[in-house]
Amino acid sequence: MTTTHPSRRHFLKRTAMSLAAAAFAGSALTALPAQAEVGYPEKEALTFGFIKLTDMAPLAIAYEKGFFEDEGLYVTLEAQANWKVLLDGVITGQLDGAHMLAGQPLAATIGYGTEAEIITPFSMDLNGNGITLANDVWEEMLPNLPKRDDGKPAHPIKADYLKPVVDERNAAGDPFKMGMVFPVSTHNYELRYWLAAGGIHPGYYDPSNGDTSGLIDADAQLSVTPPPQMPATLEAGTISGYCVGEPWNQQAVFKDIGVPVITDYEIWKNNPEKVFGITREFAEKYPNTTVHLVKALIRAAKWLDEDNNANRPEAVEILSRPNYVGADEEVIANSMTGTFEYEKGDERPVPDFNVFFRYNATYPYYSDAIWYLTQMRRWGQIAEHKSDDWYMQTAKQVYRPDLYALAAKELIAEGKMSAGDFPDFDSETGYKPPQGEFIDGVTYDGRKPNEYLQQFPIGLKGKDQV
Amino acid sequence: MNTNLSLKTPRAIAPFVKLARGESPRAQLDVLFRTVGLPIIGLLVFLMLWSGVAAKIDTSLGQFPGPAQVWHQTEALYVEHVAERDKATAFYERQEERIAERLANDPDYEPRIHDYPGKPTFFDQIVTSLITVLSGFVIASILAIPLGIVIGLSSNLYAAFNPLVQIFKPVSPLAWLPLVTIVVSAVYVTDDPMFDKSFLTSMITVVLCCLWPTMINTAVGVNTISRDLINVSQVLRLGWLTHVIKIVLPSSIPMIFTGLRLSLGIAWMVLIAAEMLAQSPGLGKFVWDEFQNGSSDSLARIMVAVLVIGLIGFLLDRGMLALQRAVSWDKTAVLR
């Protein structure tokens, strides 16, 4: 290998090494065409996994609208059977990346479940989940619910009204069972948050003693069911309710087997939801590819929210194809186009039910990561007390706004997006200001995780152990 | 004259030919009714029952699909297939343009043509399943026939192996699958794999499940060769290999093929189950994906797959039967 005629391999290696500098000093890579500061992708053929949920939309859109191809990436999207299979796929390298639960990269990194270094350069969406109860439970709750003037139940519905039903069932020796999608899923934490806010204990995990079922002291027993099977499991009577992403809550309404009682938007306004996960090894081995794929995803997310959701009907049609979500268009449309049907016929506007780009939805905030970590601590998945600093370091290890910023700056330089589309990268700390819009009125400040945990009557805090 | 004719013309056409010649019209019509009329009546009754029952089953995904909806989805699947092919063509054109553009900027680039990353259509899945099942079946047969012959020839070996065979024979593919999956991912590690892991997993599962009927039937066939033939072989002092080729194989062919047909039937059933569970490409995955989708078309699409799976299973079996007829020395044996 001579220096006068650098081979392609050498050239790419150089590109990779100088990637961090590249965003600021494009002149270092004069061999490249003027507009592209990040080199060509090192790996062009990629396979990404997803679960059949509407929040996989950025992946489908980036593929169908050619955003991946614009970046020189040839992407295959593969539906996965469940979150465990999906995570294993990413860890073993069978998948190059995947639509993941926000808790998955965090749990994998801290070694809860399968240990692996997974990072996320891109947050996929805000909100998008709901809690559905079986018809018989709903009928028992209904008489006690506060009503609006038109006779329909007033929202948000708190779990306080579910508590008598749960207590009654438990007293009769018939445990109250609910489904969620994965032990470290947003859904698990949201469901637990909602139940605990209503005085129903959702149970502790005790991994140090080998308990990963999360049923210790539980009033309501939560168990894992893959999202697409939620309605069928509810219909079979195995569970009395579930927390899941769309379209599986709306599906219950259509099938007349259950009633969605609350959306996660009402539990925590604009809560972060799925993320796009890749291994740290992948990001280090293929730095250019990583930036290119984040660029494609950012463009897709923007497309989804553009012109006040004008593209959503088209997105709904794409998602309803059998190789993506595959549910009926009208079911998907319900939540994607700004309304949510609670009881049959009780359709209410929830314009922010699915947010893909507004409110900097795609930026991987450290404070979002820390919230998930606090919930893992609250329910015993993190068995020991951890310092505030530990929370921050872990968040930094997994959430990678630096990679996001590289992609965003490229898009701005190419004129595809404007600086106003993004947070101000010079002053952004990665911590959202304290947020108070939770169903129980508790305020969350990402910089003070331990103080935050002190506020909950139910849940581990301080030096507590199960 | 008559016997000659029936040998040369296929059975289904023979009555027509005879009828045209004016040979006892009544008897020919009778034959015709039995060979063509009755199956059609059976089919019609089935379709009527199906649409009648389907209309009465209300599922959470809407009414159970009747023949009309299923036919409609068959057409829809074909339309999707054609549309996907068009998209693939467009993809390759775009790719070529992109490569040309990049080569202009970056002459060192060694272009690689990427396969179309789109979804496999229903028809692609059929092809995948057929390839998988046939590869699995061929490998299983290559293993099972020689093993069966060896076991069949020696009663000691037979006694030694029989318990093993009996234990493994009834094992469900779904029990093998997790083991196969894990072993394949651990053992099959290459940078540039010739086969997909999912293909290997499905295929090996098929092999493990369809080995046994061929092996057992071959062994039994070998074991029950007429004493006379064995005596002849001994009188002629045939070598072991010649004995096997000249005496053992020809006389055990009917039993071997009985085993092969059983094996192929099992292979096809096992494959669909394995594909469903392992999410590896093929008809099984198609069925599972549609089940997961839970759209109002899903049931009709699954029904299309069910009918196609049945039809392919039937054709595979007929294929084996034709092969058996061709190689069997006893042309008078009734094979059905």
Side-chain angles (χ1 to χ4, degrees):
Chain A
M1 190 186 289
T2 59
T3 43
T4 42
H5 297 287
S7 72
R8 179 169 156 264
R9 184 176 296 273
H10 179 78
F11 169 77
L12 284 174
K13 210 168 161 190
R14 196 161 58 92
T15 316
M17 286 188 298
S18 55
L19 176 75
F24 308 101
S27 58
L29 297 162
T30 42
L32 290 170
Q35 79 278 14
E37 296 183 7
V38 173
Y40 289 110
E42 301 89 348
K43 186 175 184 187
E44 297 176 338
L46 303 171
T47 307
F48 294 152
F50 69 91
I51 297 288
K52 288 176 173 282
L53 292 167
T54 52
D55 52 23
M56 61 74 65
L59 288 170
I61 298 304
Y63 177 84
E64 293 289 337
K65 291 283 147 194
F67 297 149
F68 282 134
E69 283 185 38
D70 285 350
E71 301 297 331
L73 302 176
Y74 300 95
V75 172
T76 308
L77 297 176
E78 268 181 14
Q80 304 294 306
N82 58 53
W83 293 110
K84 167 96 176 97
V85 169
L86 174 139
L87 181 67
D88 287 347
V90 174
I91 292 173
T92 60
Q94 230 165 338
L95 299 172
D96 295 299
H99 161 229
M100 279 187 189
L101 297 159
Q104 280 187 303
L106 292 164
T109 302
I110 64 174
Y112 184 77
T114 318
E115 187 162 2
E117 281 194 277
I118 310 272
I119 62 162
T120 174
F122 178 84
S123 239
M124 290 189 64
D125 62 324
L126 305 179
N127 311 324
N129 300 326
I131 296 175
T132 294
L133 294 174
N135 286 332
D136 58 330
V137 178
W138 173 248
E139 271 150 33
E140 281 179 60
M141 274 171 77
L142 194 56
N144 303 325
L145 293 178
K147 305 284 189 317
R148 298 195 308 200
D149 293 341
D150 61 357
K152 285 181 176 165
H155 284 214
I157 296 173
K158 294 192 168 186
D160 305 52
Y161 304 103
L162 176 65
K163 192 170 166 45
V165 182
V166 173
D167 289 346
E168 195 186 310
R169 299 241 172 147
N170 281 333
D174 173 22
F176 190 82
K177 291 183 180 154
M178 291 186 84
M180 46 82 184
V181 307
F182 202 64
V184 297
S185 67
T186 329
H187 318 81
N188 187 19
Y189 303 128
E190 283 168 354
L191 183 54
R192 283 165 178 272
Y193 200 100
W194 181 69
L195 290 170
I200 303 170
H201 200 303
Y204 288 129
Y205 292 85
D206 188 10
S208 49
N209 289 316
D211 181 281
T212 51
S213 57
L215 299 178
I216 299 168
D217 298 340
D219 295 332
Q221 301 186 355
L222 312 189
S223 60
V224 171
T225 308
Q229 273 136 48
M230 287 290 186
T233 316
L234 185 76
E235 198 178 8
T238 316
I239 50 176
S240 305
Y242 55 71
C243 179
V244 72
E246 279 312 304
W248 310 113
N249 293 292
Q250 293 299 294
Q251 189 81 275
V253 183
F254 272 79
K255 291 181 170 184
D256 218 356
I257 54 176
V259 178
V261 288
I262 190 165
T263 64
D264 59 345
Y265 179 78
E266 297 160 296
I267 297 173
W268 175 18
K269 189 176 161 185
N270 288 336
N271 64 90
E273 236 287 318
K274 301 294 180 319
V275 296
F276 187 77
I278 51 178
T279 58
R280 198 164 71 105
E281 193 193 339
F282 179 92
E284 280 166 5
K285 205 164 155 196
Y286 311 115
N288 296 348
T289 304
T290 306
V291 174
H292 283 289
L293 79 88
V294 175
K295 280 169 74 183
L297 290 175
I298 292 177
R299 285 180 70 195
K302 182 172 184 224
W303 184 90
L304 277 160
D305 276 11
E306 226 161 32
D307 302 327
N308 207 9
N309 294 356
N311 292 327
R312 291 288 178 95
E314 191 185 341
V316 167
E317 188 277 317
I318 291 172
L319 290 178
S320 72
R321 295 181 195 164
N323 50 324
Y324 298 124
V325 181
D328 285 347
E329 238 178 290
E330 51 180 348
V331 176
I332 298 176
N334 239 13
S335 65
M336 280 284 279
T337 49
T339 58
F340 193 82
E341 191 170 5
Y342 291 87
E343 254 178 302
K344 208 156 204 156
D346 184 2
E347 207 167 279
R348 304 191 189 189
V350 189
D352 282 341
F353 184 79
N354 275 121
V355 173
F356 291 102
F357 194 70
R358 293 188 289 274
Y359 319 125
N360 296 327
T362 52
Y363 189 79
Y365 283 100
Y366 296 136
S367 51
D368 293 348
I370 292 171
W371 187 80
Y372 283 101
L373 292 169
T374 62
Q375 300 307 301
M376 290 177 191
R377 171 68 189 130
R378 185 179 177 188
W379 303 118
Q381 290 174 334
I382 297 174
E384 310 268 327
H385 171 77
K386 301 280 181 187
S387 67
D388 284 359
D389 190 53
W390 178 87
Y391 285 95
M392 293 180 187
Q393 289 310 320
T394 309
K396 267 204 175 128
Q397 217 178 322
V398 179
Y399 276 49
R400 297 291 298 273
D402 54 325
L403 297 176
Y404 181 94
L406 281 179
K409 284 172 185 168
E410 281 283 303
L411 287 169
I412 297 169
E414 289 168 15
K416 290 186 177 122
M417 311 257 282
S418 67
D421 288 330
F422 299 106
D424 180 0
F425 293 118
D426 295 331
S427 61
E428 181 57 60
T429 58
Y431 288 88
K432 286 183 187 168
Q435 300 160 75
E437 285 160 312
F438 285 86
I439 192 162
D440 53 1
V442 168
T443 300
Y444 167 61
D445 181 354
R447 293 174 191 278
K448 297 169 186 157
N450 280 304
E451 207 179 291
Y452 173 61
L453 284 172
Q454 290 292 343
Q455 304 178 70
F456 298 110
I458 299 181
L460 301 181
K461 48 185 119 9
K463 310 251 180 225
D464 287 357
Q465 297 223 345
V466 175
Chain B
M1 176 73 199
N2 265 349
T3 43
N4 243 348
L5 179 87
S6 65
L7 269 181
K8 279 180 184 162
T9 43
R11 273 188 306 174
I13 304 174
F16 290 103
V17 179
K18 288 181 183 171
L19 203 59
R21 291 187 183 172
E23 283 177 37
S24 54
R26 202 184 157 82
Q28 298 312 324
L29 279 177
D30 202 43
V31 173
L32 204 60
F33 177 70
R34 266 185 286 128
T35 51
V36 184
L38 282 180
I40 290 181
I41 290 175
L43 202 64
L44 285 178
V45 170
F46 169 72
L47 287 178
M48 273 164 56
L49 274 177
W50 174 12
S51 55
V53 171
K56 291 207 170 57
I57 305 178
D58 251 325
T59 71
S60 55
L61 294 179
Q63 210 179 63
F64 193 83
Q69 288 100 305
V70 170
W71 178 246
H72 179 71
Q73 283 307 319
T74 313
E75 289 174 337
L77 284 168
Y78 179 70
V79 171
E80 273 172 32
H81 176 74
V82 174
E84 200 63 23
R85 282 289 173 279
D86 291 345
K87 279 169 95 176
T89 316
F91 168 83
Y92 286 115
E93 282 167 12
R94 282 202 306 275
Q95 186 172 213
E96 272 172 31
E97 280 170 28
R98 198 159 287 118
I99 287 173
E101 196 182 308
R102 174 159 174 186
L103 276 175
N105 290 329
D106 175 17
D108 291 340
Y109 180 53
E110 301 151 29
R112 266 188 56 198
I113 303 290
H114 296 285
D115 288 338
Y116 176 59
K119 61 161 180 174
T121 65
F122 181 60
F123 298 93
D124 296 334
Q125 302 285 37
I126 295 178
V127 174
T128 312
S129 283
L130 276 176
I131 293 175
T132 318
V133 79
L134 291 178
S135 344
F137 173 69
V138 167
I139 292 179
S141 307
I142 291 173
L143 292 172
I145 296 176
L147 271 174
I149 290 174
V150 172
I151 294 172
L153 283 176
S154 146
S155 52
N156 288 341
L157 275 178
Y158 186 82
F161 272 100
N162 194 38
L164 280 179
V165 174
Q166 298 304 336
I167 287 172
F168 284 123
K169 191 178 67 151
V171 175
S172 153
L174 307 186
W176 280 120
L177 194 67
L179 294 175
V180 175
T181 312
I182 302 280
V183 171
V184 166
S185 23
V187 175
Y188 187 67
V189 191
T190 52
D191 277 340
D192 195 19
M194 192 157 75
F195 303 108
D196 283 338
K197 276 183 184 165
S198 58
F199 168 78
L200 285 180
T201 310
S202 309
M203 197 195 68
I204 294 174
T205 311
V206 166
V207 170
L208 285 174
C209 293
C210 75
L211 209 57
W212 316 112
T214 307
M215 196 190 291
I216 293 169
N217 277 285
T218 308
V220 171
V222 167
N223 210 308
T224 52
I225 301 173
S226 139
R227 219 39 247 176
D228 296 344
L229 289 173
I230 295 176
N231 289 341
V232 168
S233 165
Q234 276 168 348
V235 166
L236 294 177
R237 295 175 184 275
L238 294 182
W240 188 83
L241 198 63
T242 328
H243 172 70
V244 167
I245 294 173
K246 294 281 175 191
I247 307 283
V248 173
L249 267 180
S251 42
S252 47
I253 280 243
M255 281 303 275
I256 292 180
F257 268 85
T258 309
L260 286 176
R261 276 176 70 193
L262 282 172
S263 279
L264 189 56
I266 289 177
W268 186 238
M269 285 208 272
V270 161
L271 177 69
I272 303 296
E275 285 170 348
M276 276 179 91
L277 192 70
Q279 300 282 298
S280 34
L283 279 169
K285 181 165 167 59
F286 175 86
V287 170
W288 186 253
D289 282 350
E290 283 300 336
F291 170 59
Q292 298 270 48
N293 284 345
S295 98
S296 51
D297 295 335
S298 293
L299 290 179
R301 282 162 170 259
I302 293 175
M303 202 63 208
V304 175
V306 165
L307 294 178
V308 167
I309 291 169
L311 192 67
I312 291 177
F314 169 72
L315 291 178
L316 288 176
D317 191 59
R318 287 288 119 164
M320 281 309 292
L321 189 62
L323 201 60
Q324 180 174 8
R325 283 220 179 88
V327 298
S328 180
W329 50 271
D330 183 5
K331 301 289 181 196
T332 58
V334 179
L335 300 170
R336 55 200 300 168

